[in-house]
Amino acid sequence: MVKILCLAALGLAALSQATKLHVNKGYITVDDAAVRKSINVSPPVTIYAGFDGSSNKERVKPGCSLEASWPGNYGDIYFGADNCLYDSNGSNINGQCCKSSGDLPEVRNPYYG
């Protein structure tokens, strides 16, 4: 019984470490999950953005990517319209912004379907 309670407490602690990532404009893909409003994530994550919203393909090359991380105690973070990452006070998190690169992989198109 004690082991079950300890495991349950560990599970709750892990859940409390999740951060809600909100998308301020458009859609993004986070670790191959399409995000249209918000998603619960734990750092680090790979964020893809800059998609062609008119594409009808299931997998496409994004316009940019960001290997994002932030303090684990953040409850909410925001992916801004400028493709940068912000905390709940509107401050950029460690200068993190989505960067363009010609050799990005095809990922799930958040505008598909």
Side-chain angles (χ1 to χ4, degrees):
M1 181 68 150
V2 171
K3 286 183 181 180
I4 292 172
L5 291 175
C6 289
L7 290 174
L10 287 173
L12 290 175
L15 286 175
S16 68
Q17 295 300 317
T19 301
K20 184 162 286 234
L21 170 61
H22 305 274
V23 181
N24 288 352
K25 182 178 179 187
Y27 301 155
I28 64 173
T29 299
V30 176
D31 291 339
D32 212 37
V35 182
R36 297 184 174 172
K37 291 187 180 185
S38 63
I39 187 173
N40 289 326
V41 292
S42 296
V45 298
T46 302
I47 299 172
Y48 296 101
F51 293 94
D52 174 3
S54 65
S55 174
N56 60 358
K57 295 181 181 179
E58 186 173 357
R59 298 190 72 79
V60 295
K61 285 195 176 222
C64 64
S65 69
L66 169 62
E67 299 296 325
S69 62
W70 56 90
N73 63 340
Y74 280 24
D76 293 279
I77 59 172
Y78 300 84
F79 191 78
D82 61 353
N83 293 335
C84 295
L85 202 59
Y86 295 92
D87 64 21
S88 59
N89 294 320
S91 298
N92 180 259
I93 302 173
N94 300 323
Q96 296 181 86
C97 294
C98 196
K99 305 287 187 218
S100 297
S101 174
D103 61 345
L104 294 174
E106 285 194 350
V107 298
R108 183 178 310 276
N109 180 359
Y111 290 91
Y112 179 77

